Amino acid sequence: MILIDGKLTSQIIKEEIANSVATIKKKNGKIPHLAAIIVGEDPASKIYVNHKVKACAQVGFNSTLIELPIDITEEQLLDELEILNKDTDIDGFIVQLPLPDHIDEQKVIMAVNPKKDIDGFHPVNIGKMTLELPGILPATPYGILELLERYKIEPSGKHVVVVGRSHIVGRPISILLSQKRETGNATVTLAHSRTKNLKEITLQADILVAAIGKANFITADMVKNDVIIIDVGTNSIPDTSRKSGHRLVGDVDFERVSKKASYITPVPGGVGPMTIAMLLKNTLTAAQKKEA
Ligand code: GUN
């Protein structure tokens, strides 16, 4: 079994980005600048956003964190977005999700200038991705493509089973891996909560992408020998042996499934760090496109 090391791979990508920033600096070019908006005090969201801001510093980007109160109105939030859309120094920005219930998430996503939509969530970018046109790819699926490419795993002709149909991961990765692209040409099945006989389908997977958000949902009896596992889950479960009282696990029962797998991503240290690396990569690309 080969462990797909997302932490190490993300560090390599961050070094590549830092080298690009050094070249930009040498030429007195504009330093890429990423902004992040967070609404409210959700602890998990705060941790994710802080990781993103810290990663900007690691590669030499400028970053701005905008913290807004939970009771901000939708109109006020849209005004904040408009300021970022117009600010020529900001190359891209993200709005950390989820947003409070009184704010229409889709409306907010649609209000981001697609050129600055570093998450790749805007319908323009989803449309471009679907039509195989150049645009911004959503960071987590993009990170999965990078892991497969850098570990020389070729999905071509293989049966990929994606479990989970979210707009952020399951749906886009199912589209990307089915496309005529270097890391693509797979036969893809997209399974979800209404799928009947799920085990019958997962047992056929050469590559299984688990993105359902349920701790240890994929068990060893659901996969065949030598399966390649991409685990996108980030589930916090109680663990009294930890000081924090909890620990992070994936959607896959790592201990048992890893014994059958040929390749597997761990949680933590698999897909998670790649999402941040690709967010930085998207920011660099947006900054370079603006300069071009
Ligand atoms: N919440 C969970 N994942 C993400 C992500 O990739 N981007 C943003 N903006 N919010 C998230």
Side-chain angles (χ1 to χ4, degrees):
M1 180 273 291
I2 294 173
L3 197 71
I4 300 180
D5 191 338
K7 197 171 170 198
L8 178 68
T9 310
S10 73
Q11 277 161 3
I12 293 167
I13 293 170
K14 283 197 256 182
E15 276 167 30
E16 291 165 4
I17 296 170
N19 288 338
S20 299
V21 175
T23 308
I24 293 169
K25 274 191 181 158
K26 232 186 261 167
K27 291 183 180 161
N28 280 327
K30 190 196 158 297
I31 305 297
H33 187 168
L34 173 70
I37 294 184
I38 179 163
V39 179
E41 305 286 331
D42 177 61
S45 288
K46 277 190 141 179
I47 290 170
Y48 291 138
V49 162
N50 285 330
H51 278 317
K52 292 172 188 176
V53 170
K54 215 176 96 191
C56 282
Q58 281 173 356
V59 297
F61 286 1
N62 291 325
S63 65
T64 301
L65 177 60
I66 301 164
E67 294 174 286
L68 300 171
I70 186 124
D71 58 355
I72 190 169
T73 65
E74 187 178 279
E75 202 184 337
Q76 285 168 327
L77 177 59
L78 293 174
D79 288 344
E80 291 284 343
L81 260 68
E82 209 35 46
I83 293 170
L84 295 178
N85 278 338
K86 289 201 175 115
D87 186 339
T88 53
D89 194 64
I90 303 281
D91 298 295
F93 64 96
I94 59 154
V95 182
Q96 187 64 29
L97 304 177
L99 290 168
D101 288 344
H102 67 278
I103 296 175
D104 181 345
E105 217 158 78
Q106 198 55 40
K107 206 166 163 183
V108 172
I109 289 170
M110 306 253 288
V112 179
N113 176 347
K115 291 197 169 96
K116 294 192 175 190
D117 168 38
I118 291 312
D119 267 325
F121 293 168
H122 191 285
V124 164
N125 284 317
I126 301 284
K128 284 183 172 175
M129 176 197 76
T130 305
L131 296 171
E132 302 176 52
L133 298 170
I136 300 176
L137 294 182
T140 303
Y142 191 9
I144 294 171
L145 294 184
E146 281 289 318
L147 283 178
L148 294 174
E149 191 183 324
R150 290 178 190 242
Y151 276 82
K152 303 204 178 332
I153 298 168
E154 290 186 8
S156 181
K158 293 198 170 82
H159 187 185
V160 174
V161 176
V162 178
V163 189
R165 56 181 158 182
S166 74
H167 293 168
I168 294 181
V169 185
R171 178 87 51 193
I173 196 64
S174 72
I175 293 170
L176 288 163
L177 287 176
S178 73
Q179 287 176 338
K180 215 182 241 185
R181 55 165 65 235
E182 207 159 315
T183 306
N185 296 307
T187 305
V188 179
T189 301
L190 179 54
H192 47 77
S193 54
R194 300 285 178 95
T195 296
K196 285 186 182 149
N197 307 323
L198 179 65
K199 183 175 159 181
E200 235 170 70
I201 295 166
T202 56
L203 274 170
Q204 294 172 34
D206 301 310
I207 301 177
L208 189 132
V209 180
I212 354 134
K214 286 189 184 149
N216 300 321
F217 182 81
I218 302 290
T219 47
D221 59 314
M222 294 170 77
V223 299
K224 67 179 179 188
N225 283 328
D226 295 330
V227 65
I228 295 162
I229 299 278
I230 305 292
D231 188 353
V232 189
T234 50
N235 310 292
S236 181
I237 62 163
D239 183 348
T240 49
S241 71
R242 299 281 177 103
K243 207 164 66 184
S244 63
H246 55 83
R247 81 187 147 99
L248 204 63
V249 298
D251 289 345
V252 177
D253 177 0
F254 183 89
E255 196 188 321
R256 292 173 189 86
V257 172
S258 60
K259 293 195 171 82
K260 288 178 92 173
S262 56
Y263 291 83
I264 186 165
T265 61
V267 177
V271 175
M274 290 300 290
T275 297
I276 295 188
M278 302 328 286
L279 205 63
L280 298 174
K281 180 95 179 169
N282 279 345
T283 308
L284 178 67
T285 308
Q288 287 170 332
K289 275 218 175 106
K290 213 172 71 184
E291 295 293 301

